Amino acid sequence: MADIRHQVRQATGADVPWMAAAATSSFMDDDLWHYLAPDSATRARALEAFHLRLLTASVADGAVTVVDRDGWVIWNAPDTIKRQATTLTDVLFAVRTFGVRGALRAHTLRTALARARSMIDPGHWFLDTVVTTPRARGRGIGTSLVLHGLRNAHASAQCAYLEATSEANHRLYERLGFVALDPILIRGRVVARPMIWHPTTDPGRTS
C-alpha cells in the first residue's frame, strides 16, 4: 500500500470556521452547487451556511479528519450513515439557505442521491466531502485524506462510495481505484458522478 504522506488528525469544533471557508472557495464552480444555486452570490452564502451546519454535526459525530489547516474530509462509517426522512427543520433551513426554488431543487437532488445510494450495499463507507484549501493544492493532501479512510474500509473488508461533483475530483478518485457508476442526471444535466471502491482494491495503488 502507498504511504500516507501527511499526518491526519481528528477535527475539533475550532476547525469548523476555516473548513467551511475552504469549502465555500472550493465548490463555487462545482456542478452540483451550480444546480442548487445558479446565482453566484446566493451560492456563496448557501455554501457557507450549509457547510457550517454539516461540519458542526459531522465533527460531533467524529466523522471529520484534517491535515493541518490545509484540508479536511468527512468519512461516514457504515454504522454511522444516517438515512433519515426530511424534517421540518431541514425544510426551513433549505428555504432560508437557497430560497423556495432552491429548496425545491435541493429536495429533487436529495431524492436522486438517495435513489442512487439505495443500489449500494448498505454496509459501505461513505466519502461525503473532501476539501483542500487553495494554498495547499498540488501537495497530495486530498489523496492522504482519502487514503486514510480507504484503509479503514480495506481493514473491515467493506466497500466505499462517493458522488464526485467535478471532473477533476472524478479523475482523482479513479487514480485511487474508484470505479464510475451511472451518472446522476436531473433534467438531462449531470449533477453528480457516483463511484464505488471495493476492498479487493489496494488503497494507493494507482497503476
Side-chain angles (χ1 to χ4, degrees), residues 128-144:
D128 186 302
T129 311
V130 58
V131 170
T132 303
T133 62
R135 69 181 183 183
R137 287 173 191 158
R139 291 166 44 195
I141 288 173
T143 297
S144 291

Side-chain angles (χ1 to χ4, degrees), residues 5 27 37 44 46 49 51 68 111 123 125 131 165 175 196 205-207:
R5 294 167 49 194
F27 293 129
H51 283 95
D68 295 325
T111 301
W125 291 70
V131 170
T165 54
R175 291 197 299 272
I196 192 165
R205 190 179 296 278
T206 58
S207 58

